[in-house]
Amino acid sequence: SNSDTDIITPISEADESLRDKKPQNYQNNGVKYYNHITQDNVEAKKQIDLSSVFKISVIRHPLDVAVSYYCWIFKKDDSPPDIAEWIIKNPSVLVLNRPFYFLNSVYNIDYMIRYESLSDDLNTLSHEHPIFSGMDSRIRQIKAKSNIRNQFNISIDAENKQKIEKLFIELCGWEIANFGYDIKDIES
């Protein structure tokens, strides 16, 4: 809608300068909205009828999410744990983003953007909904978390790769069925 009633949460100072609209309405009557809030948490605040909102989300390959999260939480750690062993001990990282796509356990996204085809999906979105025109070029300028992954040597040995493949198949059935994600999509 792009109106004065939209909720826009703050982002990093560097990325904030790239936005057309500044943060607004993210603190309202003692209720605070924040980046990466689940639909269940929005609904619990009892201020927004999510059925009247066009919901867009981005999905990434579950293994890419796990690697990204690992790099983010260990970015200042001089001796982070082995990534494969960490994923095996923390398999829920493979489905870390799933709660963002559901409301009361029901899929509730109107338009899903695949991270792997970000530009194409954003261009399709802006074609179907002109209000989103130009979003691709603005998003491409944002540098959130840039270069963090470059600090890490990400490699997985054959034995742990098999364990992770098994976890991927066991836990990521929804992502496999709905978005065609495959373990082979990610190189070790």
Side-chain angles (χ1 to χ4, degrees):
S1 65
N2 202 18
S3 74
D4 290 336
T5 60
D6 288 347
I7 295 173
I8 302 174
T9 58
I11 54 178
S12 74
E13 192 174 317
D15 292 334
E16 196 68 65
S17 66
L18 302 172
R19 292 210 282 202
D20 294 336
K21 290 191 83 174
K22 299 302 174 201
Q24 65 181 32
N25 303 326
Y26 62 94
Q27 295 186 87
N28 198 359
N29 297 326
V31 175
K32 186 173 181 177
Y33 295 91
Y34 49 89
N35 293 344
H36 306 295
I37 189 170
T38 66
Q39 294 184 60
D40 286 335
N41 284 341
V42 169
E43 185 180 71
K45 294 177 185 299
K46 307 271 187 226
Q47 291 190 340
I48 298 172
D49 174 11
L50 286 173
S51 66
S52 68
V53 177
F54 186 73
K55 294 161 293 298
I56 303 169
S57 192
V58 177
I59 191 166
R60 290 173 79 173
H61 192 292
L63 286 169
D64 194 33
V65 170
V67 170
S68 180
Y69 187 63
Y70 169 89
C71 293
W72 179 250
I73 64 171
F74 294 112
K75 68 182 180 267
K76 294 181 180 177
D77 195 326
D78 290 335
S79 56
D82 176 79
I83 188 166
E85 292 173 12
W86 180 79
I87 291 172
I88 292 164
K89 288 179 184 171
N90 301 283
S92 64
V93 298
L94 294 171
V95 293
L96 190 67
N97 287 344
R98 195 180 292 167
F100 297 108
Y101 315 136
F102 291 84
L103 175 62
N104 300 320
S105 302
V106 176
Y107 181 73
N108 195 40
I109 298 295
D110 298 305
Y111 191 88
M112 184 66 84
I113 298 166
R114 283 179 52 127
Y115 183 79
E116 300 79 12
S117 56
L118 187 68
S119 289
D120 290 344
D121 290 353
L122 285 170
N123 287 330
T124 300
L125 174 66
S126 65
H127 179 72
E128 293 173 7
H129 303 276
I131 195 165
F132 299 109
S133 182
M135 185 182 280
D136 178 46
S137 61
R138 288 192 302 273
I139 284 179
R140 292 275 170 209
Q141 295 174 21
I142 295 175
K143 302 297 181 201
K145 301 180 188 174
S146 63
N147 297 320
I148 290 174
R149 196 178 286 209
N150 297 341
Q151 301 170 24
F152 294 87
N153 178 17
I154 305 294
S155 63
I156 300 174
D157 62 55
E159 181 182 339
N160 281 332
K161 185 175 182 182
Q162 284 184 326
K163 292 176 184 176
I164 291 172
E165 286 177 2
K166 186 176 183 229
L167 287 171
F168 175 77
I169 291 165
E170 287 174 8
L171 296 176
C172 302
W174 182 83
E175 290 81 359
I176 293 167
N178 291 285
F179 296 94
Y181 286 121
D182 190 320
I183 194 77
K184 294 168 186 65
D185 295 336
I186 302 288
E187 296 179 25
S188 59

